[in-house]
Amino acid sequence: MSIALHKSKQFLAPLIKIIVILICAYVLYMQWMERPLQLNELWIALQKLPGLTLVAMIAISLASWLVESKKWQYLLDDFYELSFRESVLQNLTAQAASFITPLRAGEFAMKSLFFKKSLRKKVLSRILAGTISQMLVTVILGVTGILFYVKESLNLESALYLIYSGILLLLLLIIISLWLIKKWKSGSLTTKKWRRTILFSLLRYLIFASNWLLLLWLLDYESSMLITIRNVSVFYLVVSIIPVFQVFDIAVKWTAATYIFEGGFFHPELIIVATTIIWLTNSILPTLLGCALLPFQQLKTLEE
């Protein structure tokens, strides 16, 4: 019986890899069939862009993932020595898993499988800490953007009510997350580690948000830089708080971007094109890289 159980666990890692890759391929295909991209509109928009624009956007997207990998390496360095190369590979393959799960649950499951069982509680707590820090940056900048966004349409009392509600929600999420970390008995992060983790999260946010600023500027988005930054911060807050599968969040992003950015374009369809290009470079590209790398990664599904 024990031999059979051991053999079954040996096949578990390859099975997980195959399932993740097949599901990613299936949902991408179904999404393309249900919402085919209008290639003529995309081509018209691309003709407005300089030749190296897509290369620059891909480079910016990959740079944001390198920062995320450095943050992941730093989060583990007090109990596990992870090389930067391993950190990059783990983040990209975890992106493939989180792409097909809600609330990025796949990231927790996939990353934990890279470590032996005795370390998984600590690893899960550090994944949660990284997620909290990224969400904290998104909420703070997003709420700041909302302040500027609603000041012309809402009175001061309504704006303050909105801010207080957002702050209370954020505090509730932080308290629950910290309680989970304590419950796992994994040891809390020092103040210095929290501070640097948040700085890594802020740097990553600024990098991937710059993709929007670059593309909107090249597409002749008629607005000041401050208004554009405000819109981008509100956009990322909106799409971050809606709990959907990553593979389906393009519809949410289309809707949010259309509402938030619509006023600045001569042609509203460019909003959809810009959102799609950002989605392809920031989400689909790392997912495809993760799927390509996943078969070569060693998952620790056996008891150790």
Side-chain angles (χ1 to χ4, degrees), residues 17 21 85 89 93 114 290-299:
K17 297 176 185 180
I21 293 172
R85 175 181 175 276
L89 295 176
T93 50
F114 288 110
C291 287
L293 294 169
L294 184 57
F296 305 100
Q297 304 308 303
Q298 182 180 1
L299 303 182

Side-chain angles (χ1 to χ4, degrees), residues 141-155 159 162-163 221 223 226-235 237-238 255-264:
L141 295 179
V143 170
T144 303
I146 287 177
L147 278 178
F148 291 99
Y149 196 85
V150 303
K151 69 177 183 179
E152 296 179 359
S153 57
L154 293 181
N155 57 42
L162 183 63
I163 295 170
Y221 180 65
S223 182
L226 288 177
I227 297 299
T228 302
I229 293 174
R230 178 205 69 182
N231 290 347
V232 171
S233 67
V234 174
F235 170 80
L237 176 62
V238 171
T255 303
T258 300
Y259 178 80
I260 295 170
F261 293 102
E262 185 175 11

Side-chain angles (χ1 to χ4, degrees), residues 87-286:
S87 182
V88 172
L89 295 176
Q90 288 182 14
N91 274 292
L92 290 176
T93 50
Q95 164 64 16
S98 66
F99 191 71
I100 54 176
T101 55
L103 298 174
R104 300 186 64 85
E107 179 182 3
F108 286 77
M110 181 60 71
K111 277 187 176 178
S112 67
L113 291 177
F114 288 110
F115 302 87
K116 59 185 181 181
K117 190 175 180 180
S118 61
L119 293 176
R120 286 179 186 169
K121 285 187 177 180
K122 286 187 177 182
V123 170
L124 288 171
S125 71
R126 299 308 165 88
I127 298 172
L128 185 59
T131 302
I132 291 173
S133 65
Q134 197 67 58
M135 192 62 187
L136 181 64
V137 170
T138 302
V139 171
I140 291 175
L141 295 179
V143 170
T144 303
I146 287 177
L147 278 178
F148 291 99
Y149 196 85
V150 303
K151 69 177 183 179
E152 296 179 359
S153 57
L154 293 181
N155 57 42
L156 179 60
E157 183 179 352
S158 299
L160 289 175
Y161 177 79
L162 183 63
I163 295 170
Y164 291 149
S165 299
I167 292 174
L168 288 175
L169 178 60
L170 176 61
L171 290 175
L172 179 62
L173 291 174
I174 292 175
I175 291 171
I176 292 174
S177 301
L178 293 177
W179 177 79
L180 287 173
I181 293 175
K182 183 177 180 181
K183 186 176 178 62
W184 282 332
K185 299 179 180 179
S186 58
S188 59
L189 274 69
T190 63
T191 302
K192 177 182 177 181
K193 208 167 192 69
W194 272 114
R195 183 170 63 248
R196 290 192 177 182
T197 300
I198 291 172
L199 288 176
F200 275 124
S201 299
L202 176 60
L203 177 59
R204 189 192 179 208
Y205 182 99
L206 295 177
I207 291 174
F208 68 66
S210 66
N211 253 345
W212 268 104
L213 301 180
L214 173 63
L215 190 59
L216 293 176
W217 176 66
L218 292 173
L219 289 174
D220 298 324
Y221 180 65
E222 288 192 331
S223 182
S224 67
M225 180 60 70
L226 288 177
I227 297 299
T228 302
I229 293 174
R230 178 205 69 182
N231 290 347
V232 171
S233 67
V234 174
F235 170 80
Y236 276 118
L237 176 62
V238 171
V239 300
S240 295
I241 62 178
I242 300 177
V244 296
F245 291 77
Q246 275 198 70
V247 69
F248 300 125
D249 73 351
I250 183 61
V252 175
K253 289 180 177 179
W254 281 338
T255 303
T258 300
Y259 178 80
I260 295 170
F261 293 102
E262 185 175 11
F265 277 107
F266 285 118
H267 305 290
E269 64 271 10
L270 290 182
I271 304 170
I272 304 299
V273 174
T275 308
T276 303
I277 294 174
I278 296 293
W279 182 66
L280 290 173
T281 55
N282 280 1
S283 297
I284 298 301
L285 176 62

